[in-house]
Amino acid sequence: MTSLDRRSVLRAAASAAGAGALAAGCTPDRAEDPGAARAAGGPHPSGAGRRPPVPAPAARRPTRVPGLGTQIEHGPRDGRAVALTFHGAGDPRLATALLGEAERGGAKVTVLAVGDWLDEQPTMARRILDGGHELGNHTMHHRAICALPAAEAYAEIVRCADRLRTLTGTIGSWFRPSQTRRATALVTSLARKAGYPHVLSYDVDSLDANDPGAPAVRRTVLDSVGPGSVVSLHLGHAGTVAALPSILDGLRRRGLRAVTTTELVT
């Protein structure tokens, strides 16, 4: 990545982290001193003049599309939408910066979160949903799920589902198997047992996890993407953050828009 790209990523991460800290300080669950509220000109603790809180976006239940295959690699080819889907793990500052870039570009994305990442970064689940994005399950520990015995594979799915339910109220919109592009018949059946009607694969691999740099990530995506594509990307990689604005610009030039996977297939 060029020095300009690095500076851009750091500025975006710092800005997003600052915004997140401000938002965290305004959470309605935090106890406040009534005297301090009155001194600051806030509402009286009796509730007089208090504005109702703005509801947070609801977490979506698992997507079910009648007639759609169990394992999904892409959406309709006759539309103008694509789905940018992200492995949910890594540095939360970079993840927040990337979400900010998506929002500035008018894009909605799908994040498939790893359960142990949610344990370490529980506020990221709400941050993703508050941005209008979609949240799903990418197993608890990101093990090679298709190589695991059935009981262990199932535990990987349901433990992450439990984390999502605790944080958001649902088990998430989608399940994507870890360390594989396509799930085996066994893993597909286990995902269905856990409550996921479909398994989310993809037809475009950005290869961004190898950290080839922003120009290479952009080139790989734009050389392969088309109407209906589901693109695999990763949070937590500076090159991906730096590449996203130019990816979104390239999509717009082709008349394509980035939407959630649920919007893509429904």
Side-chain angles (χ1 to χ4, degrees), residues 73-167:
E73 292 186 344
H74 61 81
R77 296 299 196 187
D78 57 354
R80 307 305 300 170
V82 302
L84 304 181
T85 67
F86 290 83
H87 166 116
D91 187 334
R93 294 169 298 181
L94 290 173
T96 303
L98 187 139
L99 294 172
E101 292 290 357
E103 290 151 17
R104 280 186 285 277
K108 302 301 181 186
V109 305
T110 301
V111 177
L112 292 312
V114 179
D116 57 11
W117 183 64
L118 292 175
D119 281 349
E120 296 171 359
Q121 310 295 338
T123 60
M124 287 304 306
R126 193 74 258 165
R127 171 63 185 87
I128 291 162
L129 295 174
D130 285 349
H133 309 292
E134 194 165 44
L135 186 61
N137 179 331
H138 197 34
T139 76
M140 187 64 200
H141 299 106
H142 202 256
R143 301 170 66 190
I145 192 167
C146 290
L148 295 176
E152 292 183 35
Y154 186 62
E156 282 289 309
I157 300 170
V158 297
R159 288 182 65 191
C160 185
D162 288 344
R163 299 301 189 277
L164 288 165
R165 184 186 292 107
T166 297
L167 292 170

Side-chain angles (χ1 to χ4, degrees), residues 28-52:
D29 293 330
R30 189 181 69 174
E32 293 184 353
D33 173 32
R38 287 194 298 273
H44 190 277
S46 66
R50 180 179 299 165
R51 295 179 181 177

Side-chain angles (χ1 to χ4, degrees), residues 31 34 109 144 161-162 176 181 186 219 230 238 247 249 257-258 265:
V109 305
D162 288 344
R176 171 170 286 168
R181 186 169 189 154
L186 172 62
R219 191 165 51 248
V230 176
I247 289 172
D249 184 60
R257 59 194 181 96
V265 300

Side-chain angles (χ1 to χ4, degrees), residues 105 218 222 243-256:
R218 179 187 67 242
L222 294 180
L244 188 58
S246 58
I247 289 172
L248 295 177
D249 184 60
L251 293 176
R252 282 190 295 269
R253 290 174 184 272
R254 300 179 190 192
L256 300 173

